[in-house]
Amino acid sequence: QVLLVESGGGWVQAGGSLKLSCATSGRTFNMAGQGWFRQAPGKEREFVAAIGWRGASTYYADSVKGRFTISRDNAKNTVYLQMNSLKPEDTAVYYCAARSAPRDYRLPRSYDYWGQGTQVTVSS
């Protein structure tokens, strides 16, 4: 079992920044990667960013490319999402996820474990 706990969400004005953290614990050996997803009210959960388990590869949705940065601290088993130049359309609940196999990192069904989510609200 793998436990994921997100933190760092909150309220910010447009153009501002937030940094999300995802602390990972449990049976994390042989995990393939982690990702961040978000879900706004009435919308499907969508891919935001992903990173390989050792942090060598990163991937981003077009909507956040150049504004968000995913990274990980292997010593702390923590993944981060630095969000800059935030827009009102970035408002959503953000979820951290982990996958145990090298499946398509863009799909929620590729992930085996999920955090509880953290709310990010960007006001205009």
Side-chain angles (χ1 to χ4, degrees):
Q1 189 72 7
V2 175
L3 180 63
L4 307 172
V5 179
E6 301 104 332
S7 60
W11 177 90
V12 66
Q13 286 191 321
S17 299
L18 282 174
K19 186 173 185 178
L20 306 182
S21 300
C22 174
T24 306
S25 61
R27 297 171 64 86
T28 59
F29 57 89
N30 289 335
M31 296 299 286
Q34 288 188 259
W36 286 96
F37 289 76
R38 65 187 182 188
Q39 188 166 17
K43 294 188 176 182
E44 293 188 351
R45 191 166 298 189
E46 66 171 359
F47 168 72
V48 176
I51 190 167
W53 192 251
R54 296 302 175 190
S57 301
T58 57
Y59 311 91
Y60 297 93
D62 288 342
S63 59
V64 307
K65 202 171 292 183
R67 299 188 298 123
F68 291 11
T69 302
I70 189 171
S71 63
R72 67 176 297 120
D73 183 330
N74 290 325
K76 296 182 179 180
N77 243 355
T78 299
V79 173
Y80 303 98
L81 185 68
Q82 176 66 48
M83 305 185 294
N84 299 328
S85 302
L86 282 161
K87 306 175 182 180
E89 50 264 44
D90 294 318
T91 295
V93 176
Y94 283 70
Y95 296 91
C96 175
R99 64 188 191 278
S100 60
R103 311 177 191 104
D104 189 336
Y105 58 83
R106 299 165 295 181
L107 301 178
R109 65 173 181 263
S110 295
Y111 293 79
D112 305 283
Y113 304 99
W114 292 84
Q116 81 287 355
T118 185
Q119 177 71 46
V120 171
T121 303
V122 184
S123 64
S124 57

